[in-house]
């Protein structure tokens, strides 16, 4: 592991926080340092059974280590353990949440909105679909076949009908198939994904907005993974650039700071363009909302208790790494994007692999087949290469996708197991040569060439 600056960062900050409460009468909480040390040693032993998510050679799932300042701020806040449901439980952290959510909304061009943090992207999407169901009762929800499975599951929880729309060969929602469903006249909301979890596909938002003018429906953007790429449109290909340019016109947005935003789990965020949807959250509490006439976050959230420490960590990260197109945060996204394009180019130049036939990745996720006579054999080889990479401390991921996306002559109904790399760490750009060398060595060991 790299040197950890958090203990030193916390020492001074922790003392400053303790000094603020020094006027209170002293009391002691019973603790046993020896017993706690033993428990923590056992905990460290258990935690050794993990992949090295923090290292650039981990290029598998969507796991990005939180920034040290986020970890330090979270730990500092835990000395108080604020609860951002009501200002009674989280005075400072509630204000920090409001400011942080405003920073996120500004990425999408929103200055008037309603929004808050959530404990996960799943809960953020649940709130967006709950509002959608309230505003269009009895109407269907549509999402692409490559949209996150949580939308169908959430719709079931909310007793809403959710149907899947086919995608093109890049995993993007088919506008033609969508319009065919819209003609039926019973659609209330379309979920548009900007950055699918399988391959980072960006649905054609601008074209879907044009359909909204014709058919009338809400548009919810699930950008849990890809939302921050709105900061670097010039680094994206034209279709994705057009989609992000149109995002300010949608009805709701979800983004996960615990993905590209350098935050600890869990930290999601939901935004609504129309602040008046807050009326749908209205409820009474006999004891909660009396310490301030200002908005309590629990008044616009389905969740009750939420970790104020998550807001503190996000606020601190924004102070160090502002969400501006020219800042260090945006530069890190460009590095991830560059690493993905580099890997894709190397794969296309190697006769042993078959990348996505339609073209390079739209964000920073790369998928590819191992070339073989049949999809079944390719799937077997992909698993073997995956294992051989792990033996060389390179950790990738696997994903099952339509074989026709890689080999157009394949049957549309045939799936193939592919290798997948999520290059979401800024360090991946510098480490790409080592990643490639280990992938090449693993492939040679499996194929013999």
């Amino acid at each position: 592991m790299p040197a950890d600056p958090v203990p030193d960062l916390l020492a001074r900050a922790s003392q400053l926080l303790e000094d603020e409460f020094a006027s209170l009468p002293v009391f002691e909480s019973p603790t046993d340092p020896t017993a706690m040390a033993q428990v923590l040693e056992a905990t460290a032993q258990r935690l050794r059974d993990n992949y090295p998510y923090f290292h650039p050679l981990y290029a598998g799932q969507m796991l990005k280590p939180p920034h040290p300042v986020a970890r330090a701020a979270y730990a500092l806040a835990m000395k108080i353990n604020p609860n951002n449901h009501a200002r009674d439980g989280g005075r400072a952290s509630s204000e920090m949440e409001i400011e942080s959510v405003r920073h996120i909304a500004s990425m999408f061009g929103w200055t008037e909105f309603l929004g808050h943090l959530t404990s996960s992207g799943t809960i953020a999407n649940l709130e967006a679909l709950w509002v959608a169901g309230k505003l269009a009762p009895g109407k269907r929800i549509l999402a692409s076949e490559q949209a996150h499975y949580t939308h169908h599951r959430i719709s079931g929880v909310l007793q809403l009908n959710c149907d899947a729309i086919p995608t093109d060969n890049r995993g993007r929602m088919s506008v033609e198939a969508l319009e065919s469903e819209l003609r039926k006249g019973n659609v209330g909301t379309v979920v548009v994904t900007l950055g699918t979890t399988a391959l980072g596909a960006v649905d054609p938002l601008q074209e879907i907005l044009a359909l909204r003018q014709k058919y009338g429906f809400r548009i919810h953007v699930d950008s849990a993974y890809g939302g921050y790429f709105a900061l670097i449109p010039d680094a994206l290909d034209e279709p994705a650039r057009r989609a992000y340019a149109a995002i300010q016109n949608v009805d709701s947005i979800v983004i996960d700071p615990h993905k590209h935003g350098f935050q600890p789990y869990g930290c999601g965020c939901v935004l609504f363009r129309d602040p008046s949807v807050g009326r749908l959250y209205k409820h009474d509490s006999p004891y909660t909302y009396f310490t301030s006439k200002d908005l309590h976050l629990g008044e616009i959230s389905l969740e009750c208790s939420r970790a104020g420490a998550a807001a503190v960590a996000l606020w601190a990260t924004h102070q160090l790494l502002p969400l501006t197109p020219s800042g260090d945060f945006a530069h890190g996204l460009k590095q991830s994007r560059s690493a993905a394009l580099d890997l894709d180019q190397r794969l296309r130049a190697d006769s042993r692999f078959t990348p996505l036939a339609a073209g390079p990745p739209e964000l920073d996720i790369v998928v590819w087949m191992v070339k073989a006579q049949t999809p079944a054999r390719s799937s077997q080889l992909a698993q073997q290469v995956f294992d051989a990479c792990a033996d060389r401390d390179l950790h990738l991921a696997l994903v099952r996708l339509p074989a026709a996306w890689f080999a157009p002559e394949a049957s549309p109904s045939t799936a193939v197991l592919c290798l997948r790399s999520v290059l979401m760490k800024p360090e991946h750009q510098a480490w790409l040569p080592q990643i490639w060398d280990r992938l090449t060595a693993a492939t040679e060991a499996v194929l013999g060439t």
Side-chain angles (χ1 to χ4, degrees), residues 356-432:
L356 205 64
E362 294 197 276
L363 300 180
D364 59 3
I365 300 176
V366 186
V367 294
W368 68 98
M369 271 178 48
V370 180
K371 194 168 289 185
Q373 291 296 317
T374 66
R377 179 57 179 158
S378 178
S379 297
Q380 293 174 348
L381 293 174
Q383 181 67 64
Q384 292 174 25
V385 171
F386 171 84
D387 294 335
C389 284
D391 291 339
R392 290 160 175 79
D393 291 324
L394 173 61
H395 301 281
L396 302 176
L398 294 166
V399 60
R400 195 172 298 278
L401 295 169
W405 289 6
F406 302 88
E409 69 277 5
S411 168
S413 61
T414 301
V416 63
L417 192 65
C418 306
L419 291 159
R420 170 174 168 267
S421 184
V422 180
L423 297 167
M424 66 189 304
K425 301 182 184 73
E427 298 84 0
H428 277 140
Q429 182 183 41
W431 279 75
L432 208 282

Side-chain angles (χ1 to χ4, degrees), residues 341-360:
L341 293 175
D342 186 349
L343 177 57
D344 181 75
Q345 290 172 357
R346 292 171 186 256
L347 291 166
R348 292 182 190 279
D350 194 311
S351 60
R352 298 169 298 180
F353 304 121
T354 304
L356 205 64

Side-chain angles (χ1 to χ4, degrees), residues 24-356:
L24 292 170
V26 175
F27 80 103
E28 294 296 331
S29 179
T31 58
D32 184 339
T34 301
M36 289 191 294
Q38 292 173 346
V39 168
L40 282 176
E41 288 175 10
T43 303
Q45 292 291 331
R46 292 297 298 269
L47 288 174
R48 294 171 64 182
D49 183 21
N50 267 309
Y51 293 110
Y53 306 121
F54 57 89
H55 199 281
L57 287 177
Y58 185 86
Q61 303 292 352
M62 295 174 171
L63 292 161
K64 186 172 186 173
H67 195 281
V69 77
R71 290 195 289 119
Y74 198 106
L76 184 65
M78 287 305 295
K79 293 177 72 72
I80 296 175
N81 195 26
N83 177 357
N84 273 21
H85 175 68
R87 291 177 183 256
D88 303 53
R91 291 171 58 188
S93 53
S94 290
E95 289 297 330
M96 295 163 95
E97 175 170 341
I98 291 168
E99 292 176 29
S100 298
V101 171
R102 188 181 302 122
H103 299 154
I104 291 173
S106 68
M107 286 198 306
F108 307 121
W110 286 4
T111 55
E112 296 293 328
F113 63 93
L114 190 76
H116 60 88
L117 299 181
T118 65
S119 60
S120 69
T122 300
I123 296 300
N125 277 308
L126 184 147
E127 293 208 17
L129 295 188
W130 176 74
V131 167
K134 291 287 189 181
L135 296 177
K139 291 196 172 183
R140 289 190 298 154
I141 293 170
L142 301 179
S144 87
E145 291 176 340
Q146 287 294 311
H148 199 280
Y149 68 86
T150 192
H151 296 291
H152 291 274
R153 189 162 65 179
I154 286 170
S155 297
V157 171
L158 297 172
Q159 298 185 343
L160 302 171
N161 292 322
C162 184
D163 295 318
I165 302 298
T167 64
D168 63 15
N169 59 359
R170 296 198 68 158
R172 301 175 297 200
M173 182 185 291
S174 166
V175 176
E176 294 76 15
L178 173 61
E179 185 166 18
S180 178
E181 289 297 315
L182 292 172
R183 290 192 188 103
K184 298 177 182 179
N186 60 348
V187 175
T189 301
V190 174
V191 177
V192 176
T193 306
L194 300 190
T196 61
T197 49
L199 64 161
V202 177
D203 284 343
L205 175 57
Q206 192 170 52
E207 289 85 345
I208 296 170
L209 281 163
L211 290 177
R212 183 177 69 177
Q213 292 182 331
K214 184 176 180 180
Y215 294 99
F217 52 86
R218 288 180 64 80
I219 294 180
H220 167 57
V221 166
D222 179 2
S223 61
Y225 184 76
Y228 286 102
F229 284 90
L231 285 173
I232 58 166
D234 291 344
L236 308 178
D237 292 339
E238 181 60 25
R241 189 182 307 131
R242 291 172 65 230
Y244 282 99
I247 196 171
Q248 63 182 346
N249 300 309
V250 306
D251 297 289
S252 56
I253 302 172
V254 159
I255 185 171
D256 272 359
H258 65 219
K259 290 189 171 72
H260 271 294
F262 288 113
Q263 296 309 294
Y265 292 106
C267 185
C269 179
V270 61
L271 303 168
F272 298 98
R273 185 171 57 149
D274 179 6
S276 73
V277 301
R279 70 188 186 279
L280 302 173
Y281 289 91
K282 185 175 175 59
H283 65 280
D284 295 320
S285 173
Y287 60 89
T288 307
Y289 305 124
F290 298 100
T291 57
S292 171
K293 293 182 179 180
D294 293 329
L295 179 72
H296 294 260
L297 292 165
E299 296 179 275
I300 56 167
S301 170
L302 290 183
E303 293 179 275
C304 292
S305 296
R306 289 186 299 107
V312 174
L314 183 60
W315 183 89
T317 306
H318 288 178
Q319 304 311 300
L320 184 69
L321 300 171
L323 301 181
T324 58
S326 59
D328 289 341
F329 184 94
H331 179 66
L333 290 175
K334 291 180 180 179
Q335 290 178 294
S336 294
R337 170 81 175 136
S338 177
L341 293 175
D342 186 349
L343 177 57
D344 181 75
Q345 290 172 357
R346 292 171 186 256
L347 291 166
R348 292 182 190 279
D350 194 311
S351 60
R352 298 169 298 180
F353 304 121
T354 304
L356 205 64

